Amino acid sequence: REPEQDYDVVLNSCAALTGNSGVAGTIRECYRGKEGNELEHQMAAKTGALSPAHTYVPWIVVGGVHDDNVQEKVTDSLLDYVCSTYTGSKKSPGCPDDSSRLRGTGSDLAVNICRTDALAVDDM
């Protein structure tokens, strides 16, 4: 497997980059165990029930609906999309005031994605 497709490599990298190495084992146990398998099965069932049916992967669904405009925005930058649409009181500190400043490359982008994904779970 390529490193970006190896879940353990990605997990360890994101955990280290975000200072969350202590929870990597718990996350690994979840996705390798019964609960992770059940959650993946639930998502597969939801994917199979999409209407209209998905025709490619990833098929982005927001609010129960697939929209090509949203698909393009999320594909361009998931972080930009989440930062611009989140309306809760605990917006991630990874969201800048001006989303145009998010355009990064290499490890800067990886840090933003991993950190924001970890914070988004806690904040949403």
Side-chain angles (χ1 to χ4, degrees):
R1 255 187 207 194
E2 295 295 318
E4 67 272 9
Q5 295 176 334
D6 184 321
Y7 297 141
D8 287 333
V9 170
V10 172
L11 171 61
N12 291 335
S13 177
C14 284
L17 286 169
T18 60
N20 290 299
S21 295
V23 298
T26 302
I27 294 169
R28 185 175 294 105
E29 286 175 27
C30 176
Y31 76 71
R32 287 185 178 172
K34 182 179 178 181
E35 181 182 14
N37 188 50
E38 289 171 359
L39 292 169
E40 190 168 356
H41 176 75
Q42 289 173 15
M43 293 304 105
K46 286 183 178 187
T47 299
L50 287 171
S51 179
H54 73 288
T55 56
Y56 53 88
V57 175
W59 183 262
I60 308 298
V61 176
V62 176
V65 178
H66 172 78
D67 176 271
D68 288 337
N69 186 42
V70 171
Q71 176 82 31
E72 185 176 324
K73 288 179 181 180
V74 170
T75 301
D76 285 347
S77 174
L78 176 59
L79 182 60
D80 282 350
Y81 181 79
V82 171
C83 290
S84 68
T85 59
Y86 179 73
T87 59
S89 62
K90 296 181 178 181
K91 193 171 229 178
S92 171
C95 292
D97 293 332
D98 176 7
S99 64
S100 64
R101 291 184 295 155
L102 286 174
R103 302 290 180 216
T105 58
S107 62
D108 290 341
L109 183 58
V111 170
N112 284 337
I113 291 170
C114 293
R115 181 186 67 226
T116 302
D117 287 348
L119 291 172
V121 171
D122 292 335
D123 291 345
M124 292 183 158

